[in-house]
């Protein structure tokens, strides 16, 4: 595949994504009748659905540009690999779109669909059984790790853009230039969508865009590694590209395991959430994670190009491990509410003995309780049957008060 074909595909993906995202944004912001009483500005409830399905614009933009390039024969002899990659990403995107339109629990369905899509990619790429099994496991793991980054405005779009740029560089340096097609169109599509996904986000990637982006990045990395020359150290360089996504996943799993929380129930314990607790803004968190992703991407690309020694690949994971342990010190969960124990409540309600309260006999004019007239708790009563009230404590003894009155 020549350079002009790559540039043309990227430009097409950029314009298609920008045009579709602009139309989706206008549709989401346009008031509809009848007005919804619970929506500000009289917007219809479907406006939230339109904003959530904004990632479909990336899927359509990238898919149309890459599919058009395949139809024109731009992929040469690797058309099967690129077609399988595009088909697998489209399958997981379709499942995500169904979830965006009508949310339901997709955890039990998402993994089998992703595994089937990864098997399709591996089979059309012609990998060996051993390499195919490893590739399927890698694709499913990294696709979900990237999809988990879609928890703040512009976060996954920024990290995905940086990672796709690294994959594009590695594919251009590798032995199969046709594999640059999907990373090139993905870079362009995410760049166009970032205009509407930056904080405050008008559109969101949603499950469709997040699953498509994660699967395309993971599958592209697996195919580029399989087609790389033997001297490129691709087995060590390409996995480093997913350092930020894997670090966020590790942070979430460790923190939920420590707090004895469900591993599948999403909550505010990701990297961006913890950065917000130390007063980092939403755009600042996206910029920080973009810079964090740029370090392993640059290092892996230079090692893949044989400009750095492979030993430098140990630095980004080591720094990410240190960052994860530092982020674990930031509290992510509110402390649980402790209910008073039964023993403590019994102690507070039980009558205390030896309390510094004057007895009824020490009150002037008080008599002992008549038989049958005492209260249920043994309270002293007068001859008329009224309970006696002890005098307020004055710091003096009862004998001294009686002496003063006599």
């Amino acid at each position: 595949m020549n350079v002009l074909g790559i540039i043309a595909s990227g430009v097409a993906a950029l314009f298609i994504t920008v045009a579709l995202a602009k139309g989706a944004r206008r549709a989401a912001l346009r008031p509809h009748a009848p007005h919804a009483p619970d929506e500000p500005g009289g917007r219809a409830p479907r406006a939230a659905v339109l904003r959530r399905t904004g990632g479909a614009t990336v899927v359509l933009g990238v898919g149309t540009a890459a599919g058009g390039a395949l139809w024109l024969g731009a992929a040469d002899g690797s058309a099967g690999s690129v077609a399988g990659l595009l088909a697998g990403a489209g399958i997981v995107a379709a499942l995500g779109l169904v979830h965006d339109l009508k949310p339901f629990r997709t955890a039990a369905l998402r993994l089998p669909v992703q595994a089937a899509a990864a098997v399709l990619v591996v089979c059309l790429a012609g990998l060996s059984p051993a390499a195919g099994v490893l590739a399927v496991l890698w694709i499913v793991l990294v696709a979900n790790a990237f999809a988990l980054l879609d928890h703040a405005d512009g976060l996954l779009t920024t990290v995905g853009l940086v990672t796709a740029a690294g994959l594009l560089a590695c594919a251009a340096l590798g032995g199969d230039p046709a594999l640059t097609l999907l990373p090139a169109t993905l870079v362009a599509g995410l760049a166009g969508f970032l205009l509407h996904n930056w904080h405050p986000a008008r559109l969101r990637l949603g499950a469709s865009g997040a699953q498509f982006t994660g699967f395309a990045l993971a599958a592209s990395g697996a195919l580029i590694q399989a087609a790389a020359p033997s001297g490129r150290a691709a087995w060590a360089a390409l996995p480093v590209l997913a350092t930020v996504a894997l670090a966020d996943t590790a942070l979430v799993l460790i923190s939920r395991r420590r707090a004895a929380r469900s591993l599948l129930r999403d909550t505010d314990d990701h990297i961006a959430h913890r950065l917000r607790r130390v007063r980092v803004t939403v755009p600042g968190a996206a910029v920080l994670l973009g810079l964090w992703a740029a370090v392993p991407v640059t290092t892996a690309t230079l090692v893949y190009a044989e400009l750095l020694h492979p030993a430098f690949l140990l630095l980004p994971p080591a720094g990410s491990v240190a960052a994860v342990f530092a982020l674990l010190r930031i509290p992510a969960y509110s402390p649980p509410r402790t209910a008073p124990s039964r023993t403590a409540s019994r102690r507070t309600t039980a009558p205390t003995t030896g309390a510094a309260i004057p007895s009824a006999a020490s009150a002037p004019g008080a008599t002992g309780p008549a038989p049958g007239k005492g209260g249920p708790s043994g309270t002293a009563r007068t001859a008329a049957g009224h309970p006696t009230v002890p005098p307020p404590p004055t710091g003096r003894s009862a004998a001294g008060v009686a002496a003063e009155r006599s």
Side-chain angles (χ1 to χ4, degrees):
M1 187 174 184
N2 52 21
V3 179
L4 292 179
I6 298 174
I7 296 176
S9 300
V11 172
L14 175 63
F15 278 100
I16 294 173
T17 303
V18 170
L20 292 176
K22 189 174 182 180
R25 176 185 173 183
R26 287 181 177 178
L29 298 178
R30 184 184 303 122
H32 300 275
H35 296 326
D38 56 344
E39 286 282 332
R43 296 175 188 171
R46 63 175 179 176
V49 178
L50 291 173
R51 289 193 295 270
R52 190 168 60 243
T53 56
T57 61
V58 178
V59 178
L60 293 175
V62 174
T64 302
L70 285 176
W71 182 68
L72 294 175
D76 300 331
S78 300
S81 300
V82 179
L85 198 160
L86 190 60
I91 291 173
V92 298
L95 177 63
L97 182 61
V98 174
H99 176 72
D100 289 332
L101 295 176
K102 189 175 182 180
F104 63 97
R105 294 185 178 181
T106 59
L109 183 61
R110 184 174 64 247
L111 292 180
V113 171
Q114 289 176 345
V119 170
L120 176 63
V121 173
V122 168
C123 292
L124 292 180
L127 299 182
S128 62
V133 172
L134 294 177
V136 169
L137 295 177
W138 174 257
I139 291 172
V140 173
L141 172 64
V142 176
N144 287 280
F146 273 103
L148 287 177
L149 289 176
D150 189 32
H151 56 265
D153 294 347
L155 189 59
L156 176 57
T157 311
T158 304
V159 176
L161 178 62
V162 174
T163 308
L167 289 172
L168 175 61
C170 292
L173 295 171
D176 195 351
L179 294 178
T180 60
L181 177 60
L182 193 58
T185 54
L186 191 60
V187 167
L190 291 177
F193 187 75
L194 187 60
L195 300 175
H196 304 277
N197 188 235
W198 193 254
H199 183 75
R202 283 80 172 178
L203 296 175
R204 293 176 50 197
L205 279 173
S208 177
Q211 293 293 329
F212 177 83
T213 302
F215 190 91
L217 293 173
S220 296
L223 294 185
I224 294 172
Q225 179 177 350
S230 58
R232 293 287 185 178
W235 61 272
L238 291 173
V240 177
L241 297 175
T243 298
V244 174
L246 295 177
D248 181 74
T249 303
L251 174 67
V252 168
L253 294 179
I254 293 174
S255 59
R256 292 178 187 177
R257 180 67 177 177
R258 285 183 174 182
R261 290 174 174 260
S262 174
L263 299 179
L264 299 179
R265 181 176 297 177
D266 198 11
T267 184
D268 298 341
D269 53 1
H270 294 267
I271 292 178
H273 297 141
R274 297 172 190 263
L275 292 178
R276 290 287 292 148
R277 287 179 172 85
V278 293
R279 300 185 181 278
V280 178
T281 62
V282 176
V287 171
L288 285 178
L289 265 75
L291 295 175
W292 184 355
V295 174
V297 166
T298 304
T299 305
T301 304
L302 293 177
V303 171
Y304 189 85
E306 299 180 347
L307 297 177
L308 283 180
H309 193 273
F312 283 93
L313 293 174
L314 298 175
L315 297 179
S320 298
V321 170
V324 167
F325 279 102
L327 290 169
L328 283 173
R329 301 178 64 88
I330 301 176
Y333 311 111
S334 57
R337 298 180 180 179
T338 56
S341 60
R342 295 181 178 179
T343 305
S345 60
R346 290 176 181 176
R347 290 179 179 176
T348 55
T349 56
T352 56
T353 57
I357 299 177
S359 61
S362 63
T367 60
K373 293 184 179 181
S377 58
T379 305
R381 295 179 179 270
T382 61
H386 300 289
T388 59
V389 179
T394 58
R396 295 176 295 174
S397 62
V401 174
E404 290 179 359
R405 290 185 178 182
S406 61

